[in-house]
């Protein structure tokens, strides 16, 4: 063995394999008995604190022969809070004192727990009769409060205080006949082996559900296999196994990063189950499989992938499979019927009396009768509509190809489903709701059958009875009647009439003094129209009112006396004539009459009073006749 002194300068870490193992957590401080390497010769030293404090232990392998080991651990127990470990660990060929296969620098204030990895035995130094590898180490224990090495009290290292190492030098590992490594793999899908996709026990995984693949590696050979030498892959792109756990052996928890003989490690990959009825492009499936061990059962597509473990110069494979659960679809439907029931009506109207004769100032009630008659109903517009519910009752999605509907005696009817749903994928537990509607020729009871086709050629059906009860729509089942009298505002005379009905009512007519009487007669008509509001059917009843005003006529023949007085005066000119006999002359006489102003007296009036009754049938009852002069005197 060569002696190597401690060097404090920094060194480059060359051990890529060690870096690859950073995912492995270093174990906590353990007693030496916890390490597998205790079965090999070790150099373990313990220094006891003379002041009664905790002891300090350092352990490394010693020189030993092993054809299978690929690494060993060194550790310390009992670091003080003020101590620091500083130094190196080097792996080299015995003949290369200055060339290191790996070098690990030590600089820490916590206990050391270091796995030292060896190269494959085939790379050890070939001495002819054996192969050999050396590990050099020199680690100072420094008191950080003083900067000096810790002086040991007791032990066999008193001449090299604070420097750790087997004889402050190295340990050697050698073997005479390097063995050949071997490894096997067993793959599981969701915990099932499932090598044969047609056998019982192949897991049934719904599309979209999680899938966990586990790959169990067993070291079947006599040689340790380092973690860095192990590659686990899958033949399906996107399935990437990673280390998960130690299943058996001396436990990977020992931190040695070695799959030792008979140890079992587990790798895991996860994914999502695909729809094997409608697989992604390029995915190669096992057809006519998924029979669960039942010979002759209908086969379905199975997903099979192959796990491979590879170590230098050797590999192993193992397949595992899964199936989608068998598709199961249910179809349920409703059948809601409807039809229209229509009633027709007739309306008639009469009035009594149709002619009314009244004296002026009289009034009378006129009776009207409206008769409405409902005919037997006429049914039409038979129709059925409803929903078709297609439910995937299985555990995996199905490819829904079509949804159809048929009515007995009618044939196929149109089904309307949500856009882009058919054809399409129907997930497990998902219900697709479609609708349909169809006219029917009559109200005969029928059967309505809906059919869903899915996957390749599977079908599911659901039925509903098409039966008719009460009409969904009633046209004019009841009516209202309004009446318009003499052009006035409509008045309701009947409401919610559901059958044959007679509606009597009266109107009052009056012969007023405001009418225009001609020759003692005023005539006016009264038009009365009744209408069914819902159908606008109407009927008229017209009556006539004759109003009679008795007439009084009279003649007037006045009589009175007019008297005059007269005066007479007579004169002659000349008043005296003297004549001789035989003479003649003319004398002029004048007679003057004077009439006085008239004197009227003895006034009287005479005449006839004529009373006329124009009424054609009624007598006019007279209780008396009076006449009065303008001066208030009664005649």
């Amino acid at each position: 063995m060569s002696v190597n002194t401690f060097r404090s300068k920094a060194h480059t870490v060359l051990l890529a394999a060690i870096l690859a193992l950073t995912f492995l957590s270093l174990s906590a401080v353990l007693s030496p008995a916890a390490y597998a390497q205790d079965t090999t010769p070790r150099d373990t030293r313990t220094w006891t604190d003379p002041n009664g404090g905790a002891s300090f232990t350092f352990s490394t392998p010693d020189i030993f022969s092993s054809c299978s080991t690929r690494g060993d651990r060194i550790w310390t127990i009992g670091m003080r809070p003020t101590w620091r470990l500083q130094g190196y660990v080097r792996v080299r060929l015995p003949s290369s004192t200055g060339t290191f296969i790996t070098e690990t620098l030590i600089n820490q204030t916590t206990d050391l727990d270091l796995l030292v990895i060896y190269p494959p035995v085939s790379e050890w130094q070939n001495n002819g009769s054996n192969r050999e590898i050396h590990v050099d180490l020199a680690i100072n224990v420094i008191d950080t409060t003083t900067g000096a090495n810790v002086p040991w009290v007791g032990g066999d290292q008193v001449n090299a205080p604070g420097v750790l190492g087997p004889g402050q030098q190295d340990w050697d590992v050698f073997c005479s006949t390097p063995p050949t490594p071997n490894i096997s793999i067993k793959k599981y899908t969701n915990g099932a082996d499932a090598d044969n996709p047609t056998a019982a026990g192949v897991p049934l995984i719904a599309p979209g559900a999680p899938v966990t693949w586990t790959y169990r590696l067993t070291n079947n050979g006599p040689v340790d296999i380092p973690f860095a030498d192990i590659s686990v892959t899958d033949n399906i792109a996107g399935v990437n196994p990673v280390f998960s756990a130690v299943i058996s052996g001396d436990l990977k928890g020992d931190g040695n990063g070695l799959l030792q003989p008979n140890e079992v490690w587990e790798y895991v990959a996860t994914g999502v189950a695909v729809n094997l009825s409608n697989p992604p492009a390029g995915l190669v499936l096992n057809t006519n499989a998924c029979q669960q061990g039942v010979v002759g059962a209908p086969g379905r597509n199975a997903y099979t992938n192959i796990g491979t473990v590879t170590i230098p110069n050797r590999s192993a494979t193992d397949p595992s499979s899964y199936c989608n659960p068998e598709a199961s679809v249910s179809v349920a439907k409703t059948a809601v019927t409807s039809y229209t029931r229509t009633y027709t009506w007739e309306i008639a109207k009469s009035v009594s009396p149709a002619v009314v004769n009244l004296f002026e100032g009289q009034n009378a009630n006129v009776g009207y009768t409206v008769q409405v008659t409902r005919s037997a109903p006429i049914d039409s517009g038979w129709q059925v509509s409803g929903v078709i519910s297609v439910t995937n009752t299985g555990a995996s999605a199905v490819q829904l190809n079509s949804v159809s509907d048929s009515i007995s005696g009618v044939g196929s009817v149109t089904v309307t489903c949500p856009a882009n749903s058919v054809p399409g994928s129907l997930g497990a537990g998902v219900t697709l709701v479609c609708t349909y509607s169809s006219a029917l020729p009559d109200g005969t009871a029928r059967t309505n059958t809906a059919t869903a086709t899915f996957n390749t050629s599977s079908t599911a059906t659901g039925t509903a009875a098409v039966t008719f009860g009460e009409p969904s729509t009633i046209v004019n089942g009841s009516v209202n009647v309004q009446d318009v009298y003499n052009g006035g505002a409509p008045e309701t005379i009947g409401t919610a009439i559901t059958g044959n009905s007679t509606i009597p009512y009266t109107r009052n007519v009056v012969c007023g003094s405001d009418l225009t009487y001609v020759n003692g007669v005023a005539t006016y008509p009264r038009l009365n129209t009744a209408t069914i509001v819902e159908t606008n059917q109407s009927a008229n009843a017209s009556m006539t009112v004759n109003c009679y005003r008795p007439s009084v006529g009279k003649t007037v023949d006045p009589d009175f006396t007019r008297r005059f007085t007269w005066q007479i005066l007579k004169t002659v000119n000349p008043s005296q004539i003297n004549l001789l006999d035989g003479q003649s002359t003319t004398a002029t006489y004048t007679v003057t009459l004077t009439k006085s102003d008239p004197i009227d007296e003895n006034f009287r009036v005479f005449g006839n009073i004529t009373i006329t009754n124009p009424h054609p049938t009624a007598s006019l009852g007279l209780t008396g006749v009076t006449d009065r002069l303008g001066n208030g005197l009664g005649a």
Side-chain angles (χ1 to χ4, degrees):
M1 301 182 188
S2 60
V3 177
N4 292 283
T5 60
F6 173 78
R7 295 181 294 174
S8 61
K9 69 179 182 178
H11 295 273
T12 302
V13 180
L14 302 177
L15 184 55
I18 291 295
L19 294 178
L21 292 171
T22 55
F23 81 99
L24 301 174
S25 61
L26 295 176
S27 64
V29 176
L30 301 172
S31 66
Y35 297 102
Q37 288 82 355
D38 285 350
T39 59
T40 64
R42 295 193 70 81
D43 184 356
T44 301
R45 303 157 189 260
T46 300
W47 290 266
T48 302
D49 188 340
N51 298 319
S55 61
F56 176 71
T57 299
F58 177 69
S59 182
T60 68
D62 211 340
I63 298 172
F64 67 98
S65 174
S66 172
C67 287
S68 62
T69 185
R70 289 293 305 278
D72 285 300
R73 185 178 299 280
I74 62 175
W75 71 79
T76 65
I77 298 175
M79 281 282 289
R80 304 297 194 269
T82 59
W83 289 1
R84 175 180 296 278
L85 300 181
Q86 195 168 27
Y88 61 84
V89 179
R90 298 169 177 154
V91 179
R92 63 177 177 85
L93 299 180
S95 60
S96 301
T97 58
T99 302
F100 313 124
I101 299 173
T102 62
E103 180 179 48
T104 303
L105 299 182
I106 307 299
N107 186 5
Q108 62 190 65
T109 57
T110 57
D111 272 309
L112 181 67
D113 191 358
L114 176 67
L115 172 65
V116 181
I117 296 293
Y118 309 144
V121 178
S122 60
E123 299 177 10
W124 293 8
Q125 180 172 303
N126 189 348
N127 298 326
S129 61
N130 67 1
R131 292 181 177 271
E132 184 178 5
I133 195 74
H134 281 195
V135 180
D136 300 336
L137 68 109
I139 302 174
N140 285 22
V141 182
I142 301 172
D143 186 342
T144 58
T145 60
T146 64
N149 285 2
V150 175
W152 304 122
V153 177
D156 60 358
Q157 295 294 317
V158 296
N159 296 325
V163 179
L164 304 178
Q168 291 184 247
Q169 300 173 24
D170 59 17
W171 75 80
D172 300 345
V173 184
F174 58 90
C175 74
S176 57
T177 305
T180 300
N182 194 17
I183 196 168
S184 65
I185 185 173
K186 172 55 69 177
K187 182 180 177 182
Y188 302 87
T189 300
N190 282 7
D193 187 1
D195 284 349
N196 182 358
T198 66
V202 173
L204 302 177
I205 308 175
V211 182
T212 300
W213 292 281
T214 54
Y215 309 76
R216 292 196 173 182
L217 314 182
T218 302
N219 186 341
N220 297 326
V223 181
D224 295 346
I225 305 173
F227 173 80
D229 286 352
I230 299 172
S231 172
V232 180
T233 58
D234 197 283
N235 72 312
I236 300 296
V239 179
N240 303 308
V242 297
F243 174 80
S244 175
V246 170
I247 302 304
S248 66
D250 68 350
L251 299 181
K252 197 165 189 290
D254 62 14
N256 65 8
L258 302 172
L259 180 62
Q260 296 177 306
N262 298 318
E263 278 191 354
V264 179
W265 286 0
E266 184 174 271
Y267 284 65
V268 170
T270 59
V272 175
V274 300
N275 186 343
L276 301 180
S277 298
N278 186 26
L283 185 63
V284 178
L285 303 176
N286 281 319
T287 59
N288 200 31
C290 299
Q291 296 166 305
Q292 291 294 309
V294 179
V295 177
R300 308 193 309 278
N301 289 339
Y303 178 108
T304 302
N305 55 341
I306 300 172
T308 300
V309 58
T310 302
I311 60 174
N313 302 315
R314 189 168 296 274
S315 66
T317 61
D318 190 54
S320 191
S321 305
Y322 72 79
C323 300
N324 291 154
E326 188 171 2
S328 176
V329 169
S330 68
V331 177
K333 71 168 304 173
T334 62
V336 179
T337 56
S338 63
Y339 67 97
T340 299
R341 176 163 288 170
T342 303
Y343 290 89
T344 59
W345 294 81
E346 298 294 333
I347 185 170
K349 186 171 186 179
S350 62
V351 60
S352 180
V355 177
V356 177
N357 295 314
L358 298 174
F359 287 111
E360 179 183 9
Q362 288 184 320
N363 66 80
N365 287 328
V366 178
Y368 289 88
T369 301
V370 177
Q371 182 72 42
V372 288
T373 305
R374 190 174 82 167
S375 67
I378 300 174
D379 293 338
S380 62
W382 290 277
Q383 191 167 16
V384 63
S385 62
V387 297
I388 301 171
S389 300
V390 182
T391 302
N392 183 349
T393 56
S396 61
V398 298
Q399 179 66 18
L400 187 61
N401 302 319
S402 66
V403 179
S404 60
D405 194 53
S406 179
I407 302 174
S408 59
V410 175
S412 297
V413 298
T414 300
V415 176
T416 301
C417 296
N420 304 318
S421 60
V422 181
S425 178
L426 186 64
V430 176
T431 297
L432 175 67
V433 177
C434 303
T435 60
Y436 73 95
S437 179
S438 176
L440 300 175
D442 51 44
T444 302
R446 306 171 191 274
T447 300
N448 193 338
T449 302
T451 302
T453 62
F454 59 97
N455 290 350
T456 304
S457 58
S458 299
T459 61
T461 61
T463 62
V466 180
T467 57
F468 289 88
E470 292 299 315
S472 55
T473 302
I474 297 178
V475 178
N476 299 332
S478 66
V479 295
N480 301 287
V481 178
Q482 289 184 338
D483 191 66
V484 176
Y485 177 71
N486 197 35
E491 300 176 35
T492 300
I493 61 173
T495 59
I497 301 170
T498 59
N500 299 344
S501 298
T502 300
I503 306 170
Y505 64 97
T506 61
R507 298 285 186 182
N508 186 261
V509 295
V510 177
C511 284
S513 297
D514 56 342
L515 301 176
T516 301
Y517 288 85
V518 178
N519 297 323
V521 179
T523 300
Y524 63 88
R526 285 293 181 259
L527 179 64
N528 202 339
T529 302
T531 302
I532 299 176
V533 175
E534 287 71 20
T535 65
N536 204 34
Q537 294 169 277
S538 63
N540 298 323
S542 181
M543 55 87 61
T544 301
V545 179
N546 296 317
C547 295
Y548 297 95
R549 174 185 289 173
S551 63
V552 177
K554 68 181 298 183
T555 63
V556 178
D557 186 11
D559 180 77
F560 67 94
T561 300
R562 179 166 286 173
R563 182 172 56 89
F564 294 90
T565 61
W566 294 84
Q567 290 179 348
I568 186 167
L569 179 64
K570 187 174 180 180
T571 63
V572 64
N573 189 23
S575 65
Q576 183 177 335
I577 301 173
N578 295 311
L579 293 176
L580 295 175
D581 189 17
Q583 285 180 318
S584 70
T585 190
T586 302
T588 302
Y589 289 87
T590 302
V591 181
T592 303
L593 294 177
T594 302
K595 186 179 182 182
S596 67
D597 291 331
I599 301 172
D600 292 337
E601 57 187 358
N602 298 322
F603 289 96
R604 296 184 304 172
V605 63
F606 299 91
N608 295 320
I609 298 173
T610 303
I611 300 173
T612 302
N613 178 6
H615 199 293
T617 59
S619 298
L620 179 63
L622 296 178
T623 60
V625 178
T626 63
D627 189 56
R628 188 170 295 278
L629 299 179
N631 58 5
L633 295 177

